[in-house]
Amino acid sequence: MSPANTPVPVASKPPTTVRFRNWIGNNLLRIYAVLAFIYLLLPVMYTFVFSFNDSGKSNLTWVGFTWNNWANPCAAPDVCQSVINSISVGLVVTLAATLLGTLIAFALVRHRFRGRTTTNLLIFLPMATPEVVLGSSLLTLFLNILVPLGFWTVVIAHIMFCISFVVVTVKARLSSLDANIEQAAMDLYASEWQAFRRITLPLVAPGIAAAGLLAFSLSFDDFIITNFNSGQFTTFPKFIYVADKRGIPAQAYVIASAMFFIALAIVLIGQFAGRRRKEG
Amino acid sequence: MAKADVTQAEGDLHLERLTKQFGDFVAVHDLSLVVPQGSFFALLGPSGCGKTTTLRMVAGLEDPTAGTIRIGDTEITHQKPYRRPVNTVFQNYALFPHMTIYDNVAFGLKRRGVKDVNKQVNDALTLIQLSEVAQRKPAQLSGGQQQRVALARAIVNRPAVLLLDEPLGALDLKLRRQMQLELKRIQTEVGLTFIHVTHDQEEAMTMADSVAVMNNGIIEQLGPPTELYESPHTVFVANFLGQSNLFPATVQETDGEEIILEDPDGKFRMPKERVASGVNTSGGSNVLVGVRPEKITIGPRSEAAAAPIDGNYVDGVVESASFLGVSTQYQVRTEGGEQIDVFAQNLDVHGLLPHGSHVRLTWQPHHGFVLAPDQDIRASADVSAGVSG
Amino acid sequence: MAIAQAIGDTIEDQRTPPPDPKKRGRFTPYLLLLPGMLWLAIFFAVPLVFLFSTSLQTPVAGGEVGEFEQTFNFGNYVDTLTDEYYYVPLFRSFIYSGIATILALLIGYPLAYMIAFKSGRWRNLLLVMVIAPFFVSFLLRTIAWRQILADEGVVVGALRVVGLVGETGGIYPSALAVITGLTYNFLPFMTLPIYASLERVDPRLIEAGSDLYAKPFTGFRKITWPLSMPGVVAGTLLTFIPAAGDYVNAELLGTGKNSMIGNRIQYEFFNVRDYPTMAVLSFVLMACIFVMVLVYVRRVGSKDLV
């Protein structure tokens, strides 16, 4: 964020105090934003710094610097298993929720049908329901019909709350497309299927990818709903929650930091590739 | 890949009693017309008049509520858009943003499994003079270039009918003028039937062999541009194409091939052939008289009174005069209270008649026209004033 | 940013769908909807019915802990809601999440405004920075706040030096710490929808405003703010709703005195195993939120919610 390079008139230079006041006025928003970013990133920086803490079992106070945690991220018991669990859940959820949500988005944007408003409301409701309610009600169902808790109940729960987010993401992309484009394809002898495969799908793909990414990160980071529906099955957030009672190993900080940088890299590469494609 | 099975058909395009309803709203009402093969046809009307809906029914993008569409002897009323030998140039071009210009133009040919795609695409790109941008993406082209690509993408398929939906609407005035000539040139060159939808009367008159003026889902009048302009049949057409002075009058008597009309300003003679069909001209009936502003001659009353009377005249006072360069636009209040617009060509250098001048307006009887009286005199006047820029 | 735009769109779906060109596809939309809506029906709607049914149950006489039978006892609602142990955390939830929502708006709006209008080529990077904290686990970030705000942490140390906090005073655990955590955790949900709606504002409108003699602030109040309203509505809802139901912040950053309704729901479930009370609390929370959302959306005169 460079300060605005406003050309200063040569003839009459305002006095220094006025110029300072102007500078503050011009940059107030930027200063404010910098403070907001510090607030946003402070815990991230804390996590990153403490991932190098030579702390042993409980990573609460700074002991000393070490590379060991990064060298052996699986050294602490159960950390890596919980991460693998979270990733497996995340992958299944991403696939299913993206598919189901994309279908709904297509129905909502491309078709006019009876019950459209009701459908929209049903999509909105899970997003407007607190997670404790989603989690506890689903658990009530599982307990009533005697479903054993574990991997699959977590997957079911996550798909349920991810669908709505996928729908709105894909919907946004889809409705920003010129509907004429599909009609142009059909006008040029493409059947409905060909128009979909050659025109619509490639154009909506970025939206679907964004929805998938969103579903994965929502699933990966969910704790409240998972905690209700997981039984003995442990995901990464649940591991942290449980471990917090006796001390979180520094390896958890390593994994969280690594996730942060991997996600950052994916988003930036995606942006870069997108720009290249637009220019190319 | 499955080849699209496109209907082969050629001949005139027939629309017969075509109707389209959206719920309670009748967008197109019982419309019939024939577009001769190889002609440049314009559907002209204000927005919401049903012209685009008509076009979309021909393209197969809307299903008609009633009526039939034929090309020659082949009926295509309910055929899928991708089976029709019809292509469309969409209003915002609708180019495929993720494909190159070449791939855009080749799209239809490939769907049909045509051999020799490469040559045909290159020919089409040459026709629109854009061969050098074949490998670019649509977003990298200017509006005018995109417009031409959209045209090439449709023309390359040699459709029996080519539909153009306000194709020049997004271009600026200068480019639009240029593209009008370009479109006309390409149409003459390839000899396809063009149907051009527009709200711009100038655009329609410049390019089309014949024009259908649409309003409220029906065709008000159909004919060559000059005929529509010189002999409008309705107030709507009189005002939508150019500008008209319209004032009520009463038929006094029929005198051979002429009728004699009267209004508070006096009497006029009009040839019978200048009366729109279906207008009652028996003595005592009311009619509307129309005269185009440029057909009227204006002069100082003192001078005119000395000269022999030639044609119809009214006397009045100049209320405003605007000098426009090639012409001067006057507003004259007649003694009978009518306001009349006059466009006077600037043939003399002695300048304009000032505000308050007493003037006499004259016009040849065969320059006026007579319309049925039960119409709103202002119909479409505002619309056309808004869009004819 | 598709995600942010999407969230804005849910609130502001004023587009009318294009006319369906083909009659034969009348059942296509329903086929497309079927799998996803079925999933939502079975795992979202049906559980709510079960939850409601549970909320009317009473313990089996002489049964074990966690054994209940259906007696349609609507008295459960009265009993629970008149108990200070439950209604105080309920109020507290709305007060905490209300304050957190206002704070998040105060921080998030200028941030979104800056990214939308003043960030130039840094825009995408800054957007990523707003989202990036998501990827460090929500729990770890909250725990990080606990450590940062702890008596031996940086923040308290600094405040002690300045004298804002006494030698023995602290921030954690307290209501302030809980609200800090809530504000922090939902700030991106506030910022992104606002950004999405600001991004759609044509800068020429703002210029037109200043051309028509609007002072910068008047221009903002009369033009930018109203146009960004859909984003503000989406952002406040997406902050307020999850914050009101959250229990992690209160648990990690507060004491028993800062318990929110989520803590009670969670506790009744896992520790007391009093399912009817848990269900009553869940339903009351959901009902309160729905009423508040409806009133709020009416007041700000937003377009139809869905």
Side-chain angles (χ1 to χ4, degrees), chain A residues 111-131:
Chain A
H111 295 269
R112 192 184 272 183
F113 56 93
R114 213 174 258 277
R116 197 171 164 275
T117 314
T118 320
T119 311
N120 265 320
L121 185 73
L122 249 159
I123 296 298
F124 179 71
L125 276 180
M127 295 196 291
T129 309
E131 285 189 66

Side-chain angles (χ1 to χ4, degrees), chain A residues 178 180-192 194-195 197-200 202-203 277-280, chain B residues 1-2 4 6 56 61 80-82 84 86-88 90 95-99 107-108 111-112 140 153 157:
Chain A
D178 185 356
N180 274 340
I181 285 187
E182 274 168 52
Q183 299 189 342
M186 289 206 243
D187 186 62
L188 293 164
Y189 315 115
S191 62
E192 281 99 344
Q194 286 174 329
R197 198 172 67 82
R198 291 179 182 277
I199 306 298
T200 318
L203 290 172
R277 207 170 325 127
K278 223 175 273 171
E279 282 162 8
Chain B
M1 191 184 63
V6 180
R56 289 171 62 84
L61 301 171
K80 292 271 186 191
Y82 49 85
R84 296 183 187 214
V86 173
N87 290 109
T88 310
F90 288 83
L95 298 179
F96 308 131
H98 58 305
M99 294 183 180
F107 191 89
R111 297 288 82 69
R112 285 189 301 155
Q140 294 165 290
R153 187 177 70 172
N157 300 294

Side-chain angles (χ1 to χ4, degrees), chain A residues 236-279:
Chain A
F236 184 55
K238 198 176 159 193
F239 169 84
I240 295 168
Y241 183 76
V242 175
D244 185 47
K245 307 274 192 273
R246 36 191 171 81
I248 302 168
Q251 279 77 7
Y253 287 68
V254 171
I255 287 162
S257 305
M259 285 297 299
F260 175 79
F261 289 115
I262 292 171
L264 208 63
I266 291 177
V267 175
L268 289 177
I269 290 170
Q271 290 271 348
F272 185 68
R275 199 170 307 162
R276 280 290 294 273
R277 207 170 325 127
K278 223 175 273 171
E279 282 162 8

